[in-house]
Every structure is written in structure tokens, then in C-alpha cells.
Amino acid sequence: MFSTSFPPLRSTLLRSSVVLGLALLIPTALATADPGSDSVTSKYFGKTPQGEPVYLHTLTNKNGMSVSIMDYGATVVKLIVPDRNGKLGDIALGFDKLTPYFPLTTYFGATIGRYGNRIAKGQFELDGHSYQLPLNDHGNSLHGGDKGFDKRVWKEEAVESDSPAVRFSRLSPDGEEGYPGNLYTSVTFTVTEDNRLRISYQATTDKPTVINLTNHTYFNLAGAGNGTVLDDVVAIRANAYTPVDSGLIPTGEIKDVKGTPFDFTSPTPIGLHLKEVGGKPVGYDHNFVLEKGLFSDWSLAARVEEPTTGRTMEVYTDQPGLQFYTGNFLDGTLTGKGGKSYPQYAAFCMETQHFPDSPNHDNFPSTVLKPGDTYKTTTVYAFGTK
Ligand code: GLA
């Protein structure tokens, strides 16, 4: 039904990889930061209300690109990349301090688990057992429940890597937030020489369970707090999406994007068809069914260009879906880094994932993890300029 070839986006991508190749040479020459050496540094960032210390780990490459991740929620707090003039800027929404993260319901930058996105009525069946999860989103379970992986302090682990990297791990005990099995999870963040942020996840369990890990960074390529992302030009390699009901639960249908506001098969400004998407609040908050045509399991999922700064971002993943969310629930009440507020559409998220509510849809790829198997997945966010 959906072609595996992808002509419009493919030609854009081939073109852009040439542009990207050239651009990668330029920022190094123009970068305002001193071209230095790779580094990994850690500093105390504060403590949780329970008194657990939280550290902020910063990975920097030779071009001055850096990402800072804290142990609380294995959360991306800062993401600093050059613009077309080599000027470095922080493109991740978040806060300068730790405390505003605690009451947060926006999941800024966090590692999401055990199950990213929604499970209808918080219920699923597995091997003849019924499970009930906390209902934290209008009668459904969202992003792992009341106290998901985003609200836990992860343990930093030693990691061997040629590039700056940090690994976090945690054991989620059997029954945590209603999910079965002791789940041992790790997530590794790496910054490469060619301005890529790689996020690799692994997990094992001792009982059959379901799992869907992702990262919830809110990107504003013009800089966090600098207006909205409505003029950003987005391409998503998806010929189909999963339509949802009013509670954002998939109906089960896998629908062709052609002729809908979900057609990003050629580069399109986010704001162009946003109103036609509808929803309360209006905007994109949908799972796109990624095409696996070009590079089999591992492929380019999306590309974004920000016109004023020239920053570009490409997303590569081995996951079947991409939740494209345009910050519809932001309303300007959160004051973020540098005292700037975050209005509606102040950022977009590209959450690589399995489809929402997969445990209740046999026609969606399975999210079951069995004892003896290892869950492994990697997503890369590649930054450049145009
Ligand atoms: C996800 C969901 C959105 C919203 C945000 C957090 O992206 O799909 O509906 O809940 O998290 O605000």
C-alpha cells in the first residue's frame, strides 16, 4: 500500500548531504569557540526533594558542540550547536537550575520509560495476565506512569568510548508503576566529531514485559526561548501515520498521509497546515510510520531546517515510529533558561519510538521484551547548517 521508495525526500536528502558535507567544514573554521579537545566534565547540579545528589555531565567535541545531561531522568539539560556563522547556541528547552524540573509535566529533555507515549486505560494483557498502570493522562497512562524513568535518579556508569560519552543505568523493580519484571536499563549518550548526538538504549528483563524507551528533548533550532518553530521546514520519511481519538490513543488504523496535513514527504513549514490538524490544543502530536526502504533497519527518519540561523537537524533511528509533537501544551507559563518564557509551539519533539498503545494493537510492531532477549535501540540527532 505504501511505497518503500521515497522520491521527494530522497532527492532532498542527497542534496542536503552534499550541503551538509560542505557545511561541516565551515563551522569548524568559523566557530567562535576555540577549537579545543574533546572533554567530559561533571559538576554538582543540586539534590532531589528526597536528598539524592544530582550531577550534570557535559560532553564536548573539538568543534565546541556540547550536550549536558543530568542523572535526574537521564535528562538533556543543554544542547549547544553552531549556527551558519559558527555562533554556538543552546537549542534545548529546559532550565538553568534543577528545582524547576521536579514539578514538570512537559518531560523537557528526559529519558522516557518504561513505555513512551500512551497505553489506553493503562491496561494491557501479556501471557494471560492483566496489568493495570497508573492513569496519569485523561484516563490513560502516559510516559511510564506517575513516576516514570524521567523522575528517577539514574546511576552514572563507566563507559569506554573514543568520543565523549556518558552512560546511565537503573534497575526498575518488578511491579514498578504496574509493569512486570525487574528491568535493567542503560542509556548511553555520545557526542561525535561530526556534531552528532547518539543515544543508545539497552534493557533486559526477568519476566515478559513491554518496553518503549525514548528521549523527550524539545528542540528550537533558533535557540531555546527564541520564538516559535512554526517557520521551521520539516521533512519526515513517513508515508503513513497512526490517527488518534480525542485522548490521543491510536484508533488502530495506519493511514496514508497523502492529502492530509501529515504529509511531510517533501520539506514543509510546520505552521503551513498546523490549523488543519485540529486537536485540543491544536497541533501535531502524532506518531509517523517510518519508511525503512533505503537503509533497511537503520535509516534517516526526518530532517529539519531553521531558516534564520541556518541550523539543520537530521534524525536517524532503527525504530518504527516517530512521535512528532509541536509543544501544543506549552502556554507561556513556564519561564526557562535565561528568564525566557516558552510559549505554545516554542519547540518540537521528535521522539523515536514504537507506536503508542502497541500492547493493545496486534497490527502494530510488538513491544514485548522476554527474558533472555536484549532490547537495543539507537537514535542519532545530527546537526549541521545550511
Ligand atoms: C508527549 C505527548 C504529548 C504531551 C507531551 C508532554 O509528546 O505525546 O501529548 O503529553 O509528551 O507534554
Side-chain angles (χ1 to χ4, degrees), residues 105-107 117-118 137 142-143 216 218 248 285-286 323 325 329 349 351:
T105 54
T106 56
Y107 305 91
N117 218 299
R118 294 169 177 79
D137 189 68
L142 174 67
H143 291 337
H216 212 307
Y218 284 62
L248 296 173
D285 195 354
H286 293 80
Q323 183 82 7
Y325 169 58
F329 290 103
C349 301
E351 302 157 63

Side-chain angles (χ1 to χ4, degrees), residues 5-291:
S5 72
F6 203 73
L9 186 51
R10 188 179 184 176
S11 54
T12 311
L13 295 171
L14 292 179
R15 226 179 23 248
S16 66
S17 62
V18 176
V19 173
L20 193 66
L22 291 173
L24 280 175
L25 297 174
I26 299 163
T28 325
L30 295 181
T32 47
D34 285 343
S37 48
D38 290 345
S39 65
V40 180
T41 59
S42 298
K43 69 167 194 190
Y44 180 72
F45 196 44
K47 58 176 195 257
T48 65
Q50 293 73 36
E52 299 154 289
V54 175
Y55 287 83
L56 187 67
H57 311 274
T58 299
L59 317 175
T60 308
N61 74 7
K62 293 193 175 78
N63 314 321
M65 173 187 166
S66 73
V67 56
S68 301
I69 308 132
M70 63 169 162
D71 312 325
Y72 179 77
T75 298
V76 172
V77 173
K78 285 187 220 168
L79 178 51
I80 296 178
V81 295
D83 69 8
R84 64 159 76 89
N85 298 315
K87 193 167 164 259
L88 296 170
D90 188 351
I91 59 161
L93 267 57
F95 305 100
D96 298 315
K97 294 209 171 85
L98 175 62
T99 42
Y101 282 93
F102 300 136
L104 211 56
T105 54
T106 56
Y107 305 91
F108 284 163
T111 296
I112 305 294
R114 293 188 189 188
Y115 197 95
N117 218 299
R118 294 169 177 79
I119 295 185
K121 302 190 178 90
Q123 290 170 352
F124 67 96
E125 279 189 19
L126 189 56
D127 290 347
H129 297 277
S130 303
Y131 295 98
Q132 179 65 57
L133 312 170
L135 305 179
N136 59 335
D137 189 68
H138 310 288
N140 300 311
S141 197
L142 174 67
H143 291 337
D146 291 331
K147 195 169 177 190
F149 287 8
D150 59 297
K151 294 181 185 65
R152 310 273 176 178
V153 177
W154 293 61
K155 194 168 132 236
E156 190 206 350
E157 279 192 353
V159 54
E160 266 195 38
S161 165
D162 290 339
S163 305
V166 62
R167 176 174 301 153
F168 303 96
S169 70
R170 76 176 294 267
L171 175 69
S172 168
D174 187 12
E176 184 180 75
E177 296 295 305
Y179 291 92
N182 287 297
L183 188 81
Y184 178 75
T185 311
S186 73
V187 51
T188 306
F189 295 82
T190 307
V191 169
T192 65
E193 288 304 283
D194 51 355
N195 288 4
R196 289 165 176 238
L197 167 62
R198 184 168 69 226
I199 310 179
S200 295
Y201 307 83
Q202 272 207 27
T204 52
T205 182
D206 61 359
K207 273 187 195 166
T209 191
V210 295
I211 182 167
N212 191 24
L213 304 179
T214 193
N215 178 271
H216 212 307
T217 295
Y218 284 62
F219 300 97
N220 182 333
L221 299 180
N226 291 344
T228 74
V229 294
L230 296 178
D231 293 334
D232 288 17
V233 179
V234 167
I236 303 177
R237 229 177 89 215
N239 291 333
Y241 75 107
T242 50
V244 287
D245 68 15
S246 59
L248 296 173
I249 297 291
T251 59
E253 188 188 357
I254 294 190
K255 192 171 178 201
D256 198 328
V257 294
K258 213 171 291 155
T260 77
F262 302 96
D263 189 350
F264 285 97
T265 53
S266 52
T268 306
I270 292 179
L272 193 63
H273 299 296
L274 186 106
K275 289 220 171 78
E276 298 157 44
V277 173
K280 274 191 190 154
V282 170
Y284 293 96
D285 195 354
H286 293 80
N287 170 64
F288 286 73
V289 178
L290 296 174
E291 289 297 312

